[in-house]
């Protein structure tokens, strides 16, 4: 099974950006300072500088995690429970739920079919960047 990248409409992109502006600071407060992946004001060169600093301080261990396919496996119920824990506004919760369960086109052996995923998150929208 192969999932196509989601391509939101202009209207969806505008609403996603508004939601991102509102909820990003709420979740940012929960993240570790040394996490650099897809974070505002965090860049790859900052991560490299942190690695250099750790090497200079004598640290020699490296941990690597391959997250390939991870976003395709996130259970919606657990993700939404985490969102509800931090977000009280029902309209925002409903928007996120709609984005998660929007129909996607799958291609398998050259055949296309539409489905509503029960896990995973759509990639390619403003809200996922």
């Amino acid at each position: 099974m192969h999932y196509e990248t989601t391509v939101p409409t202009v209207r969806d992109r505008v609403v996603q950006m508004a939601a991102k502006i509102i909820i990003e600071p709420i979740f940012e407060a929960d993240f570790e300072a040394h996490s650099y992946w897809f974070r505002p004001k965090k860049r790859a060169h900052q991560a490299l500088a942190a690695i250099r600093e750790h090497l200079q301080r004598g640290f020699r261990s490296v941990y690597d995690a391959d997250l390939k396919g991870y976003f395709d496996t996130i259970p919606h119920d657990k993700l939404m429970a985490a969102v509800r824990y931090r977000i009280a506004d029902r309209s925002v919760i409903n928007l996120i739920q709609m984005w998660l369960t929007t129909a996607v086109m799958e291609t398998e052996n050259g055949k296309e079919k539409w489905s509503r995923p029960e896990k995973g998150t759509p990639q390619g929208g403003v809200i996922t960047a």
Side-chain angles (χ1 to χ4, degrees):
M1 191 176 311
H2 173 73
Y3 286 94
E4 300 295 329
T5 300
T6 304
V7 182
T9 65
V10 172
R11 179 184 290 176
D12 285 339
R13 293 180 67 78
V14 169
V15 174
Q16 286 181 4
M17 181 55 81
K20 181 179 179 181
I21 289 168
I22 292 167
I23 67 175
E24 189 171 64
I26 295 168
F27 287 99
E28 261 306 300
D30 295 335
F31 294 142
E32 297 288 334
H34 58 269
S35 173
Y36 293 90
W37 193 254
F38 290 109
R39 302 273 306 281
K41 300 179 183 174
K42 297 276 189 169
R43 304 289 178 258
H45 68 274
Q46 292 170 310
L48 291 172
I51 291 169
R52 275 190 220 99
E53 179 185 332
H54 283 103
L55 288 170
Q56 290 171 351
R57 290 174 51 199
F59 293 103
R60 296 292 182 254
S61 297
V62 175
Y63 297 91
D64 182 31
D66 183 359
L67 299 177
K68 181 180 178 185
Y70 174 72
F71 291 102
D72 296 335
T73 64
I74 297 173
H76 289 177
D77 58 339
K78 291 181 180 175
L79 177 60
M80 290 308 298
V83 169
R84 283 187 198 95
Y85 183 76
R86 299 289 288 159
I87 306 293
D89 188 318
R90 300 281 304 150
S91 60
V92 174
I93 301 258
N94 291 337
L95 274 174
I96 295 170
Q97 186 70 51
M98 285 189 310
W99 289 325
L100 285 175
T101 59
T102 193
V104 295
M105 181 195 307
E106 302 173 53
T107 56
E108 188 171 3
N109 300 326
K111 295 181 181 178
E112 297 175 352
K113 78 173 189 176
W114 289 89
S115 67
R116 294 195 183 273
E118 295 180 13
K119 62 182 180 178
T121 61
Q123 299 299 298
V126 172
I127 203 79
T128 61

